Amino acid sequence: METITKLSRSVKGLSVLVTGAASGMGRATAHAFADEGAWVAVTDFNAEGAAAVAKEISDAGGSAKAWTLDVGDHDAIRRVIAEIVAEYGGLDAVVNNAGIPAGLPLEHERYDAVWDRALSILLTAHQRIVRAALPHLRKSKSPRIVNIASTEALGATGRDSPYAAAKAGVVGLTRAMAVDLGPEGITVNCICPGPIRTGMTQLIPEDDKNTYARRRTALRRYGDPEEVAHITLSLCLPAASFITGAIIPVDGGLMARNA
Ligand code: NAI
């Protein structure tokens, strides 16, 4: 009997740009793609961290190269994307992952500064990277964009409004881009991670992490970066060609649980 599978379930030979790839979910995503045979552009504003991750991957037999990229730097975005395309001969997928914490009370004297930084790094950067990558994604046979938002985009925690607003913006941007780029077959999806053990959460004491996870998630635990990276990778498979504009919590059931 003829197989019904016509679409590739592999990212082998595809090139992917991951932002914020020196740590946490970005690092895990870079490893996941490289393990499956993709060419990975490991980018981060932490140059040493990006170089270390590219080396880890190369030492393990994968294909990766590091670029220093501050996603808040418009000119650098264009330059680095041109360099990645020159190195890998094209660009098939973009993972907008770089992020910073940006929580503080409404009355805080630094509120405006934190707000501006949050929107710049967590939201504006996403559209700039996508717009710079678009001419190259248009040449790909399976162009994919994955934006990393947060469950904070779907329900807010106290004293976190700049972060929550920026992440909610990523959800809106994902839907709008999916609609704009859908006619060209470019998919744009958004992952909303819940509590994940990364650099961003490493200062939260272990007991507090466990208490929170038991109280809030269905799985009663924090997630590991790899558990998010696998969903990102799945959304970038050539076979993931009919999912776009989706907002996907990867949160251990946090959004599913009322009590
Ligand atoms: P992380 O702190 O381990 O990694 C973030 C990476 O982004 C770091 O390597 C950092 O150097 C890089 N970065 C920060 N500012 C940058 C800039 N301007 N340009 C380029 N790179 C920059 O944190 P994590 O958790 O892996 O964060 C990844 C994404 O996941 C972020 O967008 C974050 O907001 C989001 N997220 C994290 C959650 C968690 O529980 N850890 C939950 C929900 C969302």
Side-chain angles (χ1 to χ4, degrees):
M1 194 170 66
E2 194 190 348
T3 171
I4 62 162
T5 304
K6 302 274 188 287
L7 300 166
S8 168
R9 295 171 187 159
S10 169
V11 293
K12 192 169 191 317
L14 301 180
S15 64
V16 56
L17 158 62
V18 184
T19 68
S23 172
M25 284 180 253
R27 171 173 170 261
T29 302
H31 273 275
F33 275 89
D35 285 351
E36 298 303 319
W39 299 81
V40 185
V42 178
T43 76
D44 204 289
F45 77 163
N46 171 356
E48 271 180 32
V53 170
K55 183 169 184 313
E56 284 168 12
I57 290 173
S58 303
D59 288 350
S63 302
K65 191 172 167 185
W67 276 269
T68 307
L69 175 61
D70 179 342
V71 297
D73 181 340
H74 200 177
D75 292 336
I77 288 172
R78 286 189 291 236
R79 179 178 45 75
V80 166
I81 287 179
E83 288 176 17
I84 292 167
V85 169
E87 179 76 22
Y88 293 150
L91 186 59
D92 300 292
V94 169
V95 181
N96 274 315
N97 164 82
I100 48 170
L104 78 182
L106 291 164
E107 302 81 8
H108 199 284
E109 61 185 23
R110 293 194 56 247
Y111 190 90
D112 272 324
V114 170
W115 172 273
D116 289 347
R117 181 88 182 136
L119 264 68
S120 166
I121 301 304
L122 298 173
L123 178 58
T124 306
H126 286 217
Q127 56 84 356
R128 286 195 174 141
I129 288 170
V130 168
R131 286 165 56 235
L134 260 185
H136 311 293
L137 292 174
R138 286 190 167 116
K139 294 181 192 153
S140 167
K141 290 200 178 80
S142 57
R144 304 278 180 261
I145 297 164
V146 177
N147 295 324
I148 305 298
S150 167
T151 47
E152 287 296 296
L154 310 173
T157 305
R159 299 168 173 228
D160 206 22
S161 54
Y163 187 83
K167 293 297 193 180
V170 173
V171 167
L173 182 67
T174 299
R175 292 191 177 119
M177 283 182 166
V179 171
D180 282 349
L181 301 176
E184 301 180 70
I186 302 173
T187 71
V188 191
N189 292 291
C190 177
I191 291 178
C192 291
I196 311 292
R197 288 179 194 281
T198 67
M200 199 170 281
T201 52
Q202 71 180 353
L203 294 179
I204 302 172
E206 201 58 23
D207 279 356
D208 293 1
K209 275 196 182 94
N210 291 333
T211 304
Y212 177 86
R214 274 200 301 271
R215 193 165 50 82
R216 296 296 310 278
T217 69
L219 293 177
R220 306 300 205 258
R221 65 174 176 86
Y222 256 59
D224 290 322
E226 185 181 353
E227 295 179 289
V228 179
H230 277 282
I231 309 304
T232 304
L233 186 136
S234 299
L235 290 170
C236 293
L237 297 176
S241 45
F242 202 56
I243 178 166
T244 195
I247 312 301
I248 304 167
V250 181
D251 64 352
L254 185 145
M255 296 309 300
R257 185 174 171 194
N258 272 339

